[in-house]
Amino acid sequence: MLKPISRLFVLAVLVSALAGCGTLFGRASGSYFGPDYYSGTAYNFGLLFGSDDLNRGYFPATLWCWASIACPVLTVYSMPVDFVVDTVMLPRDLYEAER
């Protein structure tokens, strides 16, 4: 009985650790990635596609991401979580943009 519960707990910890990485990088102090709003989601798109509007100078990271196999999968997996966190943080972003 304890073994399935511990496996589920370990899986939940790993999933939550891997999700939301774009929001962490997009909101890092002293950095600017993408627009004022939804910066974590913009970071994910910039990392995957290397677009110049969203990709503020980290194109080598895009090449490295596509060279590895896990990075695109984890980035796509992280996008819905980043979108939800960015939506929750939208009032703060609006306040910061008005300052």
Side-chain angles (χ1 to χ4, degrees), residues 16-27:
S16 62
L18 293 174
C21 293
T23 299
L24 293 176
F25 288 123
R27 296 180 181 279

Side-chain angles (χ1 to χ4, degrees), residues 13-71:
V13 167
L14 287 175
V15 165
S16 62
L18 293 174
C21 293
T23 299
L24 293 176
F25 288 123
R27 296 180 181 279
S29 63
S31 65
Y32 177 77
F33 294 111
D36 292 335
Y37 313 113
Y38 291 95
S39 60
T41 308
Y43 178 84
N44 285 336
F45 277 108
L47 184 64
L48 284 177
F49 303 116
S51 65
D52 218 19
D53 294 336
L54 301 175
N55 193 3
R56 306 278 184 204
Y58 54 96
F59 187 69
T62 301
L63 294 177
W64 177 85
C65 183
W66 283 103
S68 70
I69 295 172
C71 181

Side-chain angles (χ1 to χ4, degrees), residues 3-15:
K3 194 170 186 175
I5 292 174
S6 64
R7 284 185 184 174
L8 184 64
F9 178 73
V10 168
L11 181 65
V13 167
L14 287 175
V15 165

